[in-house]
Amino acid sequence: GEDVEQSLFLSVREGDSSVINCTYTDSSSTYLYWYKQEPGAGLQLLTYIFSNMDMKQDQRLTVLLNKKDKHLSLRIADTQTGDSAIYFCAETLVNFGNEKLTFGTGTRLTIIP
Amino acid sequence: DAGITQSPRHKVTETGTPVTLRCHQTENHRYMYWYRQDPGHGLRLIHYSYGVKDTDKGEVSDGYSVSRSKTEDFLLTLESATSSQTSVYFCAISEPTSYEQYFGPGTRLTVT
């Protein structure tokens, strides 16, 4: 079965890079996602990567995938106060299509001025 | 929030009462989902729909039912609310050709 794990908290100084980590267990073809949740809001899809890719970059966001270790990371460059949020890693199996997203518990990112 | 609204946004109800939450989308997406969010658990899938009148259970479906009579609306019903169903409920939508799910703003439900 699928299991997605994340650390619960991360504090970073404004202007530094933030690296949020996630591990997953399923070895099948998957899509892996990063969602952002600001206080009182829904989840915003930030980016996603297919399991045959190693890296994806989108402006300040870089996703790195280590397939051997089943480790996914999200790097936010030049972290700003607006990046304060909970970040969720999620996984879906390709053969399930869209029916089943498995989420991690979320990492709360706090920015230190 | 990708043309998704949820109603009500907040609700307080008593144990044993029925509750219906509504998700409405304007995107004409075929798939719709209901999740609950609880501390320490992330989001967990309750039920999902892959078309009008086509629904299936997720991992935490006990105590919940759903209905979808129109493409744009997906209803979640708690037949007899319990305190363990106090949670934040999120609706999501997606298309079969895409692996992207988009979420609504959420409904905070408190069962006293």
Side-chain angles (χ1 to χ4, degrees), chain B residues 14-69:
Chain B
E14 292 184 350
T15 297
T17 59
V19 176
T20 295
L21 309 182
R22 180 183 183 236
C23 175
H24 179 80
Q25 59 146 330
T26 58
E27 307 294 322
N28 201 37
H29 279 21
R30 182 174 157 195
Y31 287 9
M32 299 186 75
Y33 311 79
W34 277 107
Y35 292 87
R36 59 178 289 173
Q37 182 180 21
D38 304 292
H41 289 280
L43 278 79
R44 292 178 292 174
L45 183 64
I46 304 171
H47 282 279
Y48 62 97
S49 168
Y50 40 94
V52 173
K53 294 194 169 85
D54 287 326
T55 65
D56 207 347
K57 297 178 180 180
E59 65 176 299
V60 290
S61 59
D62 287 348
Y64 302 93
S65 62
V66 289
S67 64
R68 190 166 179 206
S69 58

Side-chain angles (χ1 to χ4, degrees), chain A residues 8 31 33 35 37 40-45 48 86 88 92-106, chain B residues 1 9 31 33 35 37 40-45 48 50 59 90 94-106:
Chain A
L8 291 179
Y31 279 94
Y33 303 80
Y35 281 88
Q37 185 182 33
L43 275 70
Q44 173 193 355
L45 177 62
Y48 62 97
I86 301 175
F88 290 94
T92 190
L93 293 181
V94 171
N95 60 347
F96 275 135
N98 277 298
E99 300 96 90
K100 188 174 170 61
L101 265 183
T102 300
F103 283 86
T105 54
Chain B
D1 288 320
R9 292 295 312 280
Y31 287 9
Y33 311 79
Y35 292 87
Q37 182 180 21
H41 289 280
L43 278 79
R44 292 178 292 174
L45 183 64
Y48 62 97
Y50 40 94
E59 65 176 299
F90 287 99
S94 69
E95 275 288 279
T97 55
S98 166
Y99 285 88
E100 302 172 14
Q101 283 191 25
Y102 298 97
F103 284 78

